[in-house]
Amino acid sequence: MKSKLGYIKFVLLIALVAFLFGFAEKRHDNRKMTGTEVHFTDSENLYITVDSVNNLLIQNEEGDSNLGEETLDLNKVETLLNSNDMIENAEVFLNLDGKLSAIVSQRKPIGRAVGNQSFYLDRKGKVMPLSENFSARVPLMLGFNEVNIFEAYPLVSYIKNDSFLSKHITAVNRLENGRYELKMRKLDFVVYFGAVKNIELKFNNFKAFYKKALIDEKLDTYKKVNLQFGNQVVCTKK
């Protein structure tokens, strides 16, 4: 008798848990969205604004705040945000208070092509359009289009990730022969880099030259610094 009573209690307990779970899920599904909120992982330079992201969140039925949460497809909302030209990655989720929230990482420019075509090269080596909201302080890229710019990515990326080079190099110029020249901030000489190879070696040589010339106060005496000859830095005086 006791075992039968215990079995009945167990069945009732299971039924109660299932009921409470179903009730909570139904209540959660019927809850209305209370709005949206946007967080940027880097909020200093906004290539896309909070308002623009909010507009994307409510652009179609997936982001309509009048819909119940059961109608939301968060993957579709994320896909919508990630298709934006200024967004590198977006994560979308629902808060406990019913808000549709987005954590947004913007694309990061490392160079800006100027000329017949104007656009950015981003840190992943992809073409990025200019933003109406902010202009990035990155080296200018001369003589490039949306096809040949990818060959310069290793060079421009190296410059961007080096504190000394990113401070002093203001432009990357692609010559007709496919070689490269670099322009320096507040200095008259041109750095002839040559082909995009042996990048680390060439820049280490350049840094050693720059340090020595700075100590000797000779930086202003050169018009061209050539890095293409292996371990040598060949300078041409004014």
Side-chain angles (χ1 to χ4, degrees):
M1 183 67 181
K2 288 184 178 180
S3 61
K4 184 179 292 187
L5 182 61
Y7 177 76
I8 293 173
K9 287 181 178 179
F10 177 76
V11 172
L12 290 175
L13 179 61
I14 294 297
L16 178 62
V17 171
F19 170 77
L20 292 175
F21 179 81
F23 176 79
E25 185 176 22
K26 182 66 176 177
R27 184 177 180 183
H28 176 79
D29 286 344
N30 289 332
R31 186 173 60 181
K32 299 296 182 181
M33 286 175 50
T34 59
T36 61
E37 61 181 13
V38 178
H39 303 281
F40 287 98
T41 56
D42 182 358
S43 60
E44 291 184 0
N45 304 326
L46 294 182
Y47 302 101
I48 183 171
T49 64
V50 172
D51 288 342
S52 296
V53 177
N54 273 324
N55 288 336
L56 290 173
L57 289 174
I58 62 176
Q59 180 172 314
N60 56 26
E61 62 181 4
E62 285 80 14
D64 193 328
S65 59
N66 292 322
L67 295 176
E69 294 177 4
E70 76 279 5
T71 66
L72 286 169
D73 186 333
L74 297 182
N75 288 330
K76 287 185 178 180
V77 181
E78 284 188 354
T79 299
L80 177 65
L81 292 183
N82 285 319
S83 65
N84 185 275
D85 287 332
M86 299 299 163
I87 294 177
E88 182 174 286
N89 184 63
E91 296 180 5
V92 180
F93 57 94
L94 288 166
N95 283 338
L96 294 177
D97 60 4
K99 285 187 177 180
L100 182 62
S101 300
I103 298 178
V104 177
S105 298
Q106 300 179 99
R107 296 175 70 181
K108 304 294 192 300
I110 61 173
R112 177 173 178 168
V114 294
N116 294 331
Q117 296 176 297
S118 295
F119 53 87
Y120 290 124
L121 179 68
D122 78 2
R123 65 177 176 177
K124 292 190 173 182
K126 297 180 179 180
V127 169
M128 172 182 172
L130 303 182
S131 169
E132 296 179 355
N133 302 302
F134 185 82
S135 181
R137 295 186 63 183
V138 292
L140 299 180
M141 302 183 68
L142 311 172
F144 291 92
N145 55 44
E146 292 189 1
V147 176
N148 63 29
I149 196 167
F150 301 110
E151 69 188 32
Y153 171 70
L155 174 61
V156 181
S157 180
Y158 193 98
I159 293 171
K160 178 63 176 178
N161 292 320
D162 185 283
S163 58
F164 172 83
L165 299 175
S166 62
K167 177 181 178 181
H168 291 286
I169 294 177
T170 60
V172 177
N173 184 21
R174 185 181 189 275
L175 306 176
E176 292 183 358
N177 60 3
R179 299 298 189 260
Y180 294 88
E181 285 183 347
L182 310 175
K183 294 184 179 180
M184 304 291 294
R185 190 184 310 277
K186 297 181 180 180
L187 291 172
D188 292 334
F189 63 77
V190 172
V191 179
Y192 186 82
F193 191 85
V196 181
K197 61 182 181 180
N198 300 324
I199 296 175
E200 184 175 3
L201 173 63
K202 289 179 180 179
F203 278 133
N204 284 340
N205 292 339
F206 176 70
K207 289 178 183 179
F209 153 77
Y210 186 96
K211 183 178 180 180
K212 178 73 165 55
L214 181 64
I215 293 173
D216 295 340
E217 298 183 349
K218 292 184 177 180
L219 285 173
D220 293 329
T221 66
Y222 302 110
K223 66 178 181 180
K224 185 175 182 179
V225 176
N226 195 328
L227 305 180
Q228 68 172 333
F229 299 110
N231 289 319
Q232 298 181 34
V233 176
V234 179
C235 301
T236 303
K237 290 189 175 183
K238 294 179 178 178

